[in-house]
Amino acid sequence: MSRTLAILGGKPLFDEPMHVGRPNLPDRRHFDKLVDTMFSNRWFTNYGPLVKILQARLEERLRVKHCIPICNGTVALELAYRAAGFHGEVIVPAFTFVATAHALEWQRIKPVFCDIRESDFTLDPSCVEELITDRTTGIVGVHVFGNPCDHRSIAETAGRHGLGVVYDAAHAFMNETDGMSVCSLGSMSILSFHATKFFSTFEGGAIVTDDDDLAEKIRLMMNFGFAGREKDRVDYIGINGKMTEICAAMGLAMLEQVDRLAEINRINFEAYLEALEGIPGIACRTPSPALSARNWQYVVATVDEESFGLSRDSLVEVLEAENVLARKYFYPGCHRHEPYCRTFPGSGRELPVTDRLSEMVMCLPTGEAVTPAMARMIGDSIRLAGVRAGEVRAALKEGGHA
Ligand code: T4K
C-alpha cells in the first residue's frame, strides 16, 4: 500500500504494456514441424490434410458431431445465420462484440436488440417474448465471457414461435454445462479462434452442429457451393469461408496447450479474486455456476462509481498509466454504435441492464503473460486507486482527462 500510483507521479507497475487478449503461444518445435509438413505436402488451403486432422481433433475434444473449421468467427456467424434460414428480424443481445450484430446486417437481416441478465451478461429470456413480431425468424444467444445462456428458456420460447436459434460461442471453447459442451447447445453454434481467444488459429473459427443436413449445407456454402469431387457442379451461391493450412497448423499446436492454459487462467483468476476481495464498489465476477468446466479466459470486474469513488473509465486510465491495458468489453452496447443508432433511433432506452453494465464492466489481463503475483499487484493498484480516489480525480482533471 506504500507505493505511489503512476497517475500520481509514481513509477508504472510494469515496464511493458500488459494487454488483455495477449496471444498465448504454442510449442514452437511442434508448430514448426507442422509447418514443415504443410510445405512438403504443398497443400495450403481448400480443406487440406491439416484442416481435416484439426476438424477430427476438435470434434473429439468438444464431443460434438460436426465442428467445421471456418476462416474466422464473423464469417462463421454469417454462414450459420444463412444456414438457419434467418431473414426479416432476428433477436440478438446488444451486449456483445459488434460482429454478432454486423453479421446479421450483412445478410440484410434486422437485428432487434434485447437486454441481458445482470447475473451473467447473457440474453434475458424474459425480454425476448415482447420483441417477437410476425417478421421474427430467429434468436441469437451469446455465451458472453463463456457463461452459458439460459438455453432451456430460449428453446422453449423459440419452439412456441417456430424460431431458429443460433449461439455465438466465441468465448466458450471447452466450457461445459449440463454434462455437455456449451458449444453443442441449440441447433448450431459458432466459435472464434482469433489470436486473442483462448484457443487460437491466428484467425479462424468454426461452426458446430449435430445435424448432418445443416453440416452438409454449410460445407456447400463455405466452398462456393461446389458439389461433387470434380467441382463441375455448383449447387449453391456460396462464398469462401475456408480455413487455411497454416491456421490449422497453429490450431493443432495450440490444442496441445489448452489444458495448461486453462489452469494458468484459473490460478490467475483466483489471485485476482483474492486481491479484489472487499474493495468497496469493485466486484470480480465469477464465471456462471452453471458451468462444470471452463477456460477462465475472461477476468471480468465491475466498477460501481458511487462506492468506489472513481468511474470505470477513470479506473481504466489509472491502470493505463500503470501499463495495464484493461478493456471495456463490451462498451457501448451494439445498439449505441452509430450504424445501429441511426437505423433504430431510441432503441437504447429499452436496454437498461445493458446500458448500466456496459458503463461498469472491464476485463483484466490474464493468460501465460500474466503471473498470479502480477494479478495481485494489479488488484493492489485498484485498491489503492479507490483509497486515493480524491487525489486521482484531481490528477485526471489536471491532465484534462476527467
Ligand atoms: N462473437 C463474439 C462474441 C466475439 O467476441 C468475436 C470476436 C466474434 C464474434 C468474431 O470473431 P472473429 O471474426 O474475430 O474471429 C478483439 C478480437 O479481434 C475479436 O476477435 C474479439 N471477438 C474481440 C472481443 O476482441 P479488438 O478490437 O478488441 O482487438 P484488438 O486488436 O484491440 O486486440 C485486443 C487486445 O489484444 C489488445 O489489447 C492487443 C492484444 N493483441 C491483439 C492481437 C491481434 C495482441 O497482444 N496481439 C495480437 O496479435 O477485438
Side-chain angles (χ1 to χ4, degrees):
M1 273 298 176
S2 58
R3 74 173 276 273
T4 309
L5 291 167
I7 200 96
L8 299 178
K11 186 179 168 304
L13 204 51
F14 303 109
D15 294 333
E16 297 293 321
M18 304 279 294
H19 291 279
V20 171
R22 193 86 174 146
N24 293 312
L25 302 177
D27 177 295
R28 270 302 295 274
R29 269 177 309 186
H30 184 194
F31 174 69
D32 290 351
K33 232 169 122 188
L34 289 159
V35 175
D36 289 344
T37 308
M38 178 189 82
F39 278 108
S40 61
N41 286 341
R42 282 190 191 244
W43 199 285
F44 298 147
T45 186
N46 288 9
Y47 202 49
L50 296 181
V51 167
K52 284 181 187 147
I53 299 170
L54 179 64
Q55 177 176 313
R57 298 254 166 96
L58 288 172
E59 286 163 357
E60 188 187 0
R61 176 82 215 203
L62 302 173
R63 290 181 284 122
V64 296
K65 196 160 181 200
H66 303 282
C67 182
I68 304 165
I70 305 286
C71 56
N72 62 54
T74 306
V75 170
L77 278 167
E78 288 193 45
L79 288 163
Y81 294 158
R82 202 175 251 247
F86 286 178
H87 60 276
E89 293 177 5
V90 165
I91 295 164
V92 60
F95 191 87
T96 181
F97 190 59
V98 282
T100 321
H102 283 355
L104 287 169
E105 276 281 353
W106 269 66
Q107 303 293 318
R108 298 190 184 283
I109 300 163
K110 178 180 168 184
V112 175
F113 293 114
C114 187
D115 217 345
I116 52 166
R117 300 193 289 194
E118 177 88 42
S119 58
D120 62 4
F121 305 93
T122 68
L123 190 75
D124 185 343
S126 70
C127 299
V128 171
E129 192 93 32
E130 68 201 43
L131 299 174
I132 297 173
T133 69
D134 55 5
R135 293 178 302 282
T136 310
T137 57
I139 302 171
V140 175
V142 183
H143 306 304
V144 180
F145 307 136
N147 293 331
C149 292
D150 179 354
H151 61 104
R152 287 200 186 81
S153 301
I154 293 170
E156 193 274 320
T157 308
R160 251 184 310 109
H161 293 273
L163 306 174
V165 180
V166 168
Y167 284 111
D168 179 337
H171 302 175
F173 188 86
M174 252 171 59
N175 285 10
E176 293 186 10
T177 188
D178 293 338
M180 55 187 165
S181 168
V182 169
C183 67
S184 68
L185 301 175
S187 61
M188 234 184 314
S189 293
I190 73 94
L191 289 163
S192 165
F193 304 153
H194 184 261
T196 56
K197 293 289 187 289
F198 174 69
F199 170 71
S200 151
T201 61
F202 299 126
E203 285 272 3
I207 299 178
V208 175
T209 183
D210 281 340
D211 183 317
D212 294 340
D213 293 337
L214 272 176
E216 188 54 36
K217 194 168 170 185
I218 289 157
R219 289 203 174 92
L220 267 182
M221 292 168 83
M222 64 180 280
N223 189 25
F224 311 104
F226 280 130
R229 268 188 42 222
E230 297 308 316
K231 299 194 176 168
D232 50 6
R233 212 181 81 214
V234 168
D235 280 1
Y236 192 88
I237 300 174
I239 56 162
N240 181 355
K242 293 171 274 118
M243 179 181 275
T244 62
E245 288 288 276
I246 191 82
C247 289
M250 180 66 166
L252 285 168
M254 286 307 293
L255 211 46
E256 300 295 316
Q257 307 295 325
V258 287
D259 293 314
R260 180 182 70 85
L261 293 171
E263 185 57 8
I264 288 173
N265 283 347
R266 187 189 66 75
I267 293 169
N268 283 343
F269 181 83
E270 297 293 338
Y272 273 118
L273 193 65
E274 206 183 302
L276 297 175
E277 169 91 56
I279 304 179
I282 300 290
C284 184
R285 306 286 295 248
T286 40
S288 165
L291 288 169
S292 50
R294 46 191 84 70
N295 57 39
W296 303 95
Q297 175 75 354
Y298 294 91
V299 178
V300 184
T302 48
V303 184
D304 178 71
E305 182 174 358
E306 221 174 278
S307 325
F308 183 61
L310 294 172
S311 67
R312 182 273 317 268
D313 288 359
S314 297
L315 180 55
V316 167
E317 283 192 58
V318 169
L319 292 173
E320 198 176 325
E322 303 291 352
N323 253 333
V324 177
L325 306 185
R327 292 299 296 250
K328 302 180 215 172
Y329 291 136
F330 290 101
Y331 170 81
C334 293
H335 63 306
R336 298 279 181 199
H337 282 298
E338 170 58 20
Y340 298 109
C341 293
R342 211 177 42 222
T343 325
F344 316 113
S347 63
R349 280 196 297 274
E350 296 137 37
L351 307 179
V353 183
T354 300
D355 283 338
R356 195 160 45 76
L357 286 180
S358 64
E359 295 276 353
M360 296 172 76
V361 75
M362 65 177 185
C363 290
L364 296 167
T366 188
E368 63 186 355
V370 177
T371 64
M374 288 168 162
R376 277 190 289 274
M377 282 156 74
I378 294 170
D380 289 346
S381 298
I382 293 174
R383 191 179 295 274
L384 194 53
V387 171
R388 304 190 59 180
E391 291 161 75
V392 169
R393 272 199 310 272
L396 287 170
K397 210 166 178 179
E398 209 169 287
H401 300 287

